[in-house]
Amino acid sequence: KQWYQRRVRGVLNYYTNYYYKSNLRMSAPPFPEIKSTHSLVAKYVTKEVWEKVGGHTTKTAGFTLAKAIACATEFDNQHCGIYAGDWDSYKDFAAVFDPLIQ
């Protein structure tokens, strides 16, 4: 039984330390078309910010910046246009959220 538990822990540690962390920082997908051109997303999600955090995935829920700004890319009538998917979104995408909150 102990051998089995050590084996399972080893596999989980491998997944957590190698696979998951290596896929956390992927290159950013192409810059999205923001349909809500007068939204806060259009103001603060610039190409520079997108290149910096656009490919990042949060640890808690696997949330991305593309998911956070989905309503601004889908609809043309959004004022704010961004939603946090989890607590990590505020920290990981601070380049976008901090100016909006202030």
Side-chain angles (χ1 to χ4, degrees):
K1 184 175 177 179
Q2 289 177 352
W3 175 85
Y4 179 75
Q5 289 173 340
R6 279 190 306 231
R7 189 67 141 163
V8 169
R9 264 183 274 165
V11 170
L12 291 175
N13 285 338
Y14 170 80
Y15 177 79
T16 303
N17 292 326
Y18 178 76
Y19 181 77
Y20 185 73
K21 288 181 181 175
S22 67
N23 287 322
L24 256 173
R25 288 271 181 201
M26 299 179 350
S27 61
F31 187 72
E33 176 192 353
I34 299 171
K35 293 181 181 176
S36 295
T37 56
H38 299 293
S39 68
L40 295 173
V41 167
K43 182 176 180 180
Y44 293 111
V45 179
T46 62
K47 288 186 180 187
E48 294 80 25
V49 170
W50 184 260
E51 289 300 318
K52 183 178 170 186
V53 294
H56 181 73
T57 303
T58 63
K59 286 182 185 178
T60 306
F63 210 68
T64 63
L65 185 57
K67 291 178 184 177
I69 65 168
C71 62
T73 60
E74 294 293 321
F75 305 107
D76 62 358
N77 61 349
Q78 300 295 303
H79 171 71
C80 185
I82 190 167
Y83 297 94
D86 56 17
W87 177 252
D88 288 338
S89 297
Y90 292 106
K91 176 181 59 173
D92 295 351
F93 308 125
V96 179
F97 278 105
D98 285 353
L100 290 172
I101 294 169
Q102 293 174 3

